Amino acid sequence: MEKRLRTGIPGLDEMTKGGFIRGDTMLLTGPPGTGKTTFGLQFLLQGIQDGENGVFITIEEMPKKIMEDAVNFGWDLKRLQAENKLRIYQLQSDMLQTGGTPIMQCLDIIKDINARRIVVDPISLYSMNINNPNELRRELYAFVNYMKANDVTLLMTHEVPDILARVSKISDYGVEFIVDCIIMLQYVEMESEIKRSINILKMRGTDHDKAIRKYEITKRGFEVLSRFEGYEGIMSGTARKTGAQAFIEAFKK
Ligand SMILES: Nc1ncnc2c1ncn2[C@@H]1O[C@H](COP(=O)(O)OP(=O)(O)O)[C@@H](O)[C@H]1O
Ligand SMILES: [Mg+2]
């Protein structure tokens, strides 16, 4: 069985030196609108193309809305659901409020279509309803370990509230310590424009690109582009030219 998985995100498999690792858990962080949902769907669509069924567990958005938005990218999620290759499942919010193990309600759906790729989008809201951080950590551990034991590849998204900010920590509940890989999406202010940056903060068991790269969301979906050449301070949300870059530009004039 191939250990590396194509993610379906152009440019990303080069960053990870060959794709995600089967059975790993990835955390995708970013403020609203950075493309986390799009990324997650694209990852599942590639899986289906490669013979791996997928489940998209949504917490905020209605499955209907997700399917409608996907049409704009040319993705026919309805058909894939009808073919039992994909499930879009909304966690019941009353389950979230009453505590218990809401995420475990997904296991039946996962088993039902023998899903090999799972997306949970986003885990942040889920966490708000569990007051006891130890309980949350325990449940997330159990979920992640179940996926790992079954060689299921898991992508969880985490919505960070601040649009343009230096990120000092990933989350309040320690999820960053149980995941194998962290991918950060950020907005960057640069020359009176808002650009988007992606970087791999950590990835266990493999070398990976340490560069901060640009990315775009186009009508085809999420796409990684070149690195930010000649800029620094990108992760602070406000980039500035490096001294060398400023010198080069002054010299050109
Ligand atoms: N059909 C489309 N073509 C181009 N860009 C799109 C399209 N649909 C959405 N977008 C872009 O994707 C962004 C939202 O992506 P989404 O995956 O919903 O982000 P998140 O889940 O992080 O909030 C929008 O802000 C918009 O810029
Ligand atoms: Mg979203």
Side-chain angles (χ1 to χ4, degrees):
M1 201 161 50
E2 184 53 57
K3 216 174 142 39
R4 289 299 190 116
L5 304 176
R6 296 199 290 171
T7 57
I9 310 287
L12 186 67
D13 296 351
E14 289 76 33
M15 286 185 84
T16 58
K17 316 280 177 203
F20 289 161
I21 298 170
R22 183 183 299 283
D24 268 7
T25 297
M26 272 65 60
L27 185 70
L28 178 67
T29 75
T34 43
K36 299 181 296 301
T37 301
T38 308
F39 185 116
L41 288 171
Q42 217 166 313
F43 168 66
L44 293 185
L45 289 172
Q46 183 66 52
I48 291 167
Q49 211 169 319
D50 293 345
E52 297 195 312
N53 290 348
V55 173
F56 190 94
I57 301 163
T58 160
I59 298 172
E60 277 173 344
E61 286 182 89
M62 303 290 284
K64 190 165 166 288
K65 172 83 169 56
I66 290 172
M67 283 193 275
E68 283 167 7
D69 288 351
V71 171
N72 295 325
F73 293 114
W75 301 338
D76 189 353
L77 305 185
K78 220 176 213 167
R79 179 177 56 87
L80 297 174
Q81 292 223 85
E83 292 173 353
N84 293 324
K85 293 174 178 167
L86 175 73
R87 287 280 179 275
I88 301 176
Y89 179 70
Q90 188 172 24
L91 268 191
Q92 299 306 310
S93 55
D94 52 338
M95 284 283 284
L96 293 175
Q97 260 120 48
T98 52
T101 56
I103 219 157
M104 290 299 175
Q105 64 182 285
C106 310
L107 292 187
D108 288 344
I109 294 138
I110 291 165
K111 285 182 197 152
D112 186 41
I113 62 163
N114 186 28
R116 312 306 304 159
R117 296 189 185 195
I118 313 293
V119 172
V120 180
D121 179 51
I123 51 163
S124 7
L125 190 75
Y126 169 79
S127 68
M128 275 185 240
N129 290 289
I130 296 185
N131 299 323
N132 181 341
N134 288 330
E135 192 185 314
L136 172 70
R137 204 166 306 177
R138 250 199 315 276
E139 173 157 6
L140 274 176
Y141 259 96
F143 190 69
V144 168
N145 283 334
Y146 176 89
M147 297 305 152
K148 213 169 264 304
N150 289 280
D151 254 345
V152 175
T153 313
L154 175 63
L155 175 75
M156 303 193 284
T157 74
H158 174 65
E159 188 138 293
V160 298
D162 298 320
I163 302 292
L164 280 173
R166 180 181 286 277
V167 179
S168 55
K169 62 176 178 178
I170 302 290
S171 73
D172 289 326
Y173 42 94
V175 67
E176 54 271 41
F177 302 111
I178 60 173
V179 300
D180 302 292
C181 171
I182 300 175
I183 301 173
M184 279 177 74
L185 306 178
Q186 285 182 280
Y187 292 112
V188 188
E189 182 194 339
M190 190 178 277
E191 291 164 352
S192 310
E193 258 189 74
I194 302 293
K195 298 199 190 300
R196 292 163 156 163
S197 80
I198 180 169
N199 77 289
I200 299 174
L201 204 59
K202 79 162 186 184
M203 188 162 169
R204 286 185 188 137
T206 178
D207 185 24
H208 61 83
D209 194 350
K210 313 293 185 309
I212 304 172
R213 291 182 179 273
K214 300 171 198 164
Y215 73 90
E216 267 177 10
I217 303 168
T218 70
K219 61 180 193 310
R220 292 182 306 278
F222 197 107
E223 202 173 321
V224 178
L225 307 170
S226 62
R227 57 194 292 163
F228 284 91
E229 215 72 68
Y231 284 87
E232 61 191 12
I234 294 160
M235 288 178 77
S236 73
T238 315
R240 49 190 183 275
K241 283 184 186 137
T242 58
Q245 181 67 16
F247 179 78
I248 290 165
E249 286 181 19
F251 190 72
K252 273 189 199 153
K253 278 181 190 153

